[in-house]
Amino acid sequence: MRPTTESLSTEASRLPLGTTFGDRRKTLLIITQVYVPDPAAVGQQISDAAAAMVRRGWRVVVLTSARGYEDPRTKYKKRQMLEGVEVIRLPLSSFGKSSIPVRLIAQSLFLLEAMLRALVIRDLRGILISTSPPAAPAAGVALSAVRRVPVEYWVMDLNPDQMVAMGKLGPRSLPARVFEAMNRLILRRASEVVVLDRFMADRILRKADVSDKITVLPPWPHEDHLQRVPHEQNAFRREHGLDGKFVVMYSGNHSPANPITTLVEAAKQFRSDARYVFLFVGGGRAKREVETAIAQGYSNIRSLPYQPLGRLGHSLSAADVHVVSLGNDMVGIVHPSKIYGAMAVGRPLLTIGPAESHLADLVTRYGLGYHVAQGDVAGAVDALRKLAALSADELRAMGERGVRATHGDLSQPALVEEFCRVIESGIGSARTGSAAGHWLPLVSVVAVAAVVAVL
């Protein structure tokens, strides 16, 4: 395995299918179900990489959804140039997350639309896919074979591992076996594999020996939108009545893979202390726990939706402490990137999860706060009381250690530069074979998307 690194918009263009804006540069195609201005973290990371590739002289085309991932009522422009990136938004590709069949249909249609569009993109030199939607690797393999260009695989999370760990699939079930076959196929076919932490790399290497082409690169903070805002100047705190409060914040996706039960139960212990406010910002299925607690009368617990990217700095800076959680069985499967945003705005951390995880690694390595196990409500309460007892200067010093990390080894410029170098290296060194003999992904992608869309 290679050495690791652990240490928006212009005028919209309405152009016909296949238009290349008169640009004959080498083209990189990116297929992703989410992209800015959608607030999902995956789309924000991909947009940073796409814009950086444009600056390096590439023509970048993104095929993505025309509607919001969390809220399909949100509509985006069908075609745009965002930071030099040609964004094409596909209809019938997001109907929300209300049920498994709804997600299945949307993800399957998205991949079919994306594959058809990809067939007419000119001057194509490479394809970048991630795990959004989960069956995207199958489409990437199929297109790589048909267009005879390399495909690069950015692993944001692992399936069927996640669904098996959550008890929603049996390890020997048909969907799990089909998806594992697709995993092995993309790992063999990809010219480069990028994963987010050392634990994820270990899991990938157990699936296939890709030690000659795997790179560990953590996600980066969105520094352009993460200005640190002092409490006394923070309009977000005033707007939400947070002045004079000690704000404990969980911000981002409330996923069952990142359990918040320990934090919610800890928050209940502070019910009679008016100083503490527990603010849950974002969305996801696990947000129901927050809404239930609020309905039960816990007025110290509050809920807000995802905040626009332009307000992210004010939102994250409104906290005194940020909480990031990881499920016991999710190490190496998911990688909560919200921790980097909290570090970038200089706030101490309480992380909840296994002692062997990237969360614990970061807290320990940089001295960012406290780490407790899932279910340790008393430990979480104790950690929060200790943090609240610190002086403003002590809290600031703890937060500054995170800022220094995100301005050094974990900085956006350094990580984006390395990511682009890996992508260019993979495209330049890849040997793509004939499309003959690779008909299987084309035939199977619809079935795979249908079987695993729930992932």
Side-chain angles (χ1 to χ4, degrees):
M1 184 165 50
R2 294 174 179 167
T4 66
T5 305
E6 291 280 23
S7 17
L8 266 148
S9 166
T10 63
E11 291 295 321
S13 301
R14 297 183 178 274
L15 300 173
L17 179 63
T19 299
T20 63
F21 297 80
D23 195 340
R24 298 308 298 268
R25 291 174 294 168
K26 53 193 178 183
T27 299
L28 173 67
L29 170 65
I30 301 176
I31 298 175
T32 173
Q33 196 172 16
V34 292
Y35 196 77
V36 295
D38 193 283
V42 171
Q44 294 171 18
Q45 294 284 322
I46 291 175
S47 72
D48 290 338
M53 290 297 286
V54 169
R55 294 192 292 271
R56 294 167 78 96
W58 286 78
R59 172 182 174 237
V60 179
V61 177
V62 172
L63 299 179
T64 188
S65 173
R67 292 179 178 267
Y69 181 62
E70 285 283 342
D71 184 359
R73 294 172 298 180
T74 302
K75 297 180 181 180
Y76 302 115
K77 293 179 180 179
K78 292 181 179 180
R79 298 190 70 118
Q80 286 180 295
M81 289 285 289
L82 298 177
E83 298 186 90
V85 179
E86 301 173 31
V87 182
I88 302 172
R89 302 187 187 277
L90 307 178
L92 306 176
S93 54
S94 179
F95 307 132
K97 301 163 70 175
S98 59
S99 69
I100 288 174
V102 165
R103 295 173 67 184
L104 182 154
I105 293 169
Q107 294 183 23
S108 300
L109 287 174
F110 170 74
L111 290 176
L112 284 172
E113 292 177 275
M115 291 177 68
L116 291 173
R117 290 271 186 159
L119 293 176
V120 298
I121 291 176
R122 298 168 58 184
D123 304 312
L124 189 63
R125 301 291 183 86
I127 301 166
L128 173 63
I129 53 98
S130 73
T131 47
S132 176
V141 169
L143 288 170
S144 173
V146 172
R147 295 300 307 265
R148 302 183 66 179
V149 296
V151 59
E152 319 266 351
Y153 187 28
W154 195 358
V155 185
M156 300 288 194
D157 50 32
L158 285 179
N159 274 303
D161 307 51
Q162 184 174 175
M163 297 304 287
V164 170
M166 294 170 65
K168 295 192 174 183
L169 280 181
R172 299 300 302 163
S173 65
L174 179 60
R177 285 184 286 145
V178 170
F179 207 94
E180 282 293 8
M182 290 297 103
N183 279 334
R184 291 191 292 272
L185 185 61
I186 182 62
L187 291 172
R188 287 197 302 269
R189 179 77 184 188
S191 57
E192 293 288 340
V193 178
V194 178
V195 298
L196 305 185
D197 58 55
R198 63 187 178 95
F199 304 99
M200 191 175 286
D202 288 342
R203 281 185 172 270
I204 287 290
L205 291 171
R206 290 199 293 270
K207 296 177 185 293
D209 183 6
V210 291
S211 54
D212 60 333
K213 57 183 180 181
I214 191 170
T215 301
V216 179
L217 283 174
W220 47 82
H222 299 93
E223 295 177 17
D224 294 342
H225 305 283
L226 290 179
Q227 71 277 21
R228 288 184 285 166
V229 184
H231 284 353
E232 60 273 12
Q233 301 173 19
N234 196 326
F236 185 94
R237 281 183 68 96
R238 292 194 300 274
E239 178 183 343
H240 295 286
L242 301 175
D243 288 337
K245 304 293 186 180
F246 188 83
V247 179
V248 181
M249 182 180 290
Y250 181 99
S251 179
N253 185 22
H254 296 56
S255 165
N258 314 119
I260 58 172
T261 302
T262 301
L263 177 59
V264 172
E265 292 303 314
K268 293 177 179 179
Q269 304 301 309
F270 291 90
R271 182 178 192 172
S272 60
D273 192 332
R275 181 187 175 197
Y276 292 85
V277 170
F278 290 77
L279 186 56
F280 294 82
V281 183
R285 283 181 291 166
K287 195 77 179 283
R288 296 169 187 165
E289 291 187 54
V290 178
E291 308 298 345
T292 298
I294 293 172
Q296 291 171 345
Y298 290 94
S299 58
N300 63 324
I301 300 176
R302 303 184 191 176
S303 173
L304 289 174
Y306 280 111
Q307 299 300 298
L309 194 57
R311 297 198 70 193
L312 192 58
H314 283 76
S315 171
L316 294 180
S317 293
D320 292 284
V321 173
H322 275 276
V323 180
V324 185
S325 177
L326 181 66
N328 288 333
D329 298 322
M330 294 296 163
V331 177
I333 296 176
V334 298
H335 183 108
S337 60
K338 57 178 68 71
I339 190 170
Y340 303 104
M343 293 169 64
V345 297
R347 296 298 181 263
L349 285 160
L350 169 62
T351 55
I352 303 174
E356 282 291 313
S357 65
H358 81 280
L359 296 185
D361 280 358
L362 288 167
V363 169
T364 301
R365 179 174 184 176
Y366 296 107
L368 303 176
Y370 292 89
H371 181 85
V372 300
Q374 289 288 351
D376 186 4
V377 175
V381 169
D382 183 59
L384 291 172
R385 291 195 188 282
K386 287 178 179 177
L387 288 166
L390 296 176
S391 68
D393 288 342
E394 289 172 318
L395 284 171
R396 191 176 302 111
M398 186 176 289
E400 282 295 330
R401 292 195 282 270
V403 173
R404 287 195 295 271
T406 59
H407 286 177
D409 294 340
L410 300 177
S411 72
Q412 180 176 344
L415 292 173
V416 171
E417 174 72 16
E418 178 62 11
F419 180 84
C420 291
R421 186 200 64 76
V422 170
I423 295 305
E424 289 184 324
S425 173
I427 292 175
S429 64
R431 295 184 216 170
T432 56
S434 160
H438 289 284
W439 55 267
L440 176 61
L442 280 172
V443 176
S444 64
V445 66
V446 179
V448 173
V451 171
V452 303
V454 299
L455 304 176

